[in-house]
Amino acid sequence: MTSSSASSLSARPHALAAYGWDEYWAAEFAPYAAEGLLPGRVVRVDRGQCDVMTEDGVIRADTAFVTPHDPLRVICTGDWAAVEAAGNPRYVKAYLPRRTAFVRSTSSQRSEGQILAANVDHAVIAVSLAGEPDLGRIERFLALAWESGAQPLVVLTKADLVPDPDTLAYLVRDVETTAPGVQVLAVSSHTGEGTDVLAAIVSGGTSVLLGTSGAGKSTLANALLGEDVMDVQATREVDGKGRHTTTTRNLLALPGGGVLIDTPGLRGVGLFDAEAGVGQVFSEIEDHAADCRFHDCAHESEPGCAVLAAVADGSLPERRLESYRKLLRENQRIVAKTDARLRAELHRDWRLKAAQGRANYAAKRGGRG
């Protein structure tokens, strides 16, 4: 082969480039390539097996070699895998370290984490305008998105159901106040409004599409794909909720570039060790907290609390502070269940507060006498 032919071959895009393969992943995969394994991206996981997109197309592979006890280390959609070059069945022998991972807590009593998608650049949070947006739920999604390492984006779907432009602008601004540092985009898959902007955003990298059932995720995915790939079912008029049309997480290459992971509608959006993500969502509260008199101010009734002062003067909505407290408490409980040291510290704090409460009560009783 001539040097010009070799140069031409090396200049050709990798067969997996459309799925996010780049020089970084090539370097990470090099040790597995030396073992004769094939690189591939997991596009779907189902019952101990997965579909992997390789240079030779999609292959079905068994995940028995990468099924640890830790649920956060199981293979998931978006992972880059090292797959056997031949065999029946073929096995995934390993997967590459993840750049990012979107994790929520499960509904189990064990409070385990569940990984929803790996190696994601954009977390697209779909919120239907068929009803009033649930700001608290949006804040939950945003906390998980920031914690994952991905850049969040809130997409208000079904914008055609809000024909008045002033009302639509108000809804967008209302959501923007709950999402500092996050773009909020009104989109209608029916009229095409905003879909070109969204397509341009997700064309760079991997995006995961998140939201509750009935948020219009599958319709939005079809609009981005340019064809009806995902099943769509009508939303119930009585409560605005939909049925779970997507039952697995699927990774799909977009015609305009980038890849999209569509997910089932999430009934529960539980936090899982997402303190940094919560802080990012409520960055204005943490900015105020820096001016509190005490560095460990709980923003409850302490003197010199800048957060409470902001609530008092109207610059910080009380709803935001209540939501902030709620998510921090929830996250603390989740972490305590998996962290014995923190659990012990919490119990000690609870005992001290209980003792202080009893002492205060006794002092008041004594004063009456």
Side-chain angles (χ1 to χ4, degrees), residues 288-297 302-307:
H288 285 303
D291 296 326
C292 289
R293 181 182 301 176
F294 305 109
H295 74 278
D296 58 348
C297 183
E302 296 86 347
C305 176
V307 173

Side-chain angles (χ1 to χ4, degrees), residues 24-54:
Y24 171 87
W25 292 119
E28 289 289 305
F29 191 79
Y32 299 104
E35 297 176 16
L37 298 173
L38 294 178
R41 192 152 198 199
V42 178
V43 298
R44 185 172 180 268
V45 179
D46 181 28
R47 298 178 182 177
Q49 293 189 313
C50 62
D51 293 333
V52 183
M53 176 60 71
T54 70

Side-chain angles (χ1 to χ4, degrees), residues 111-142:
S111 298
E112 295 175 336
Q114 177 190 23
I115 182 165
L116 299 181
N119 303 313
V120 172
D121 301 295
H122 306 286
V124 182
I125 302 164
V127 180
S128 173
L129 288 177
E132 189 77 16
D134 185 333
L135 301 181
R137 180 173 285 139
I138 293 173
E139 288 162 346
R140 283 176 172 275
F141 273 113
L142 288 171

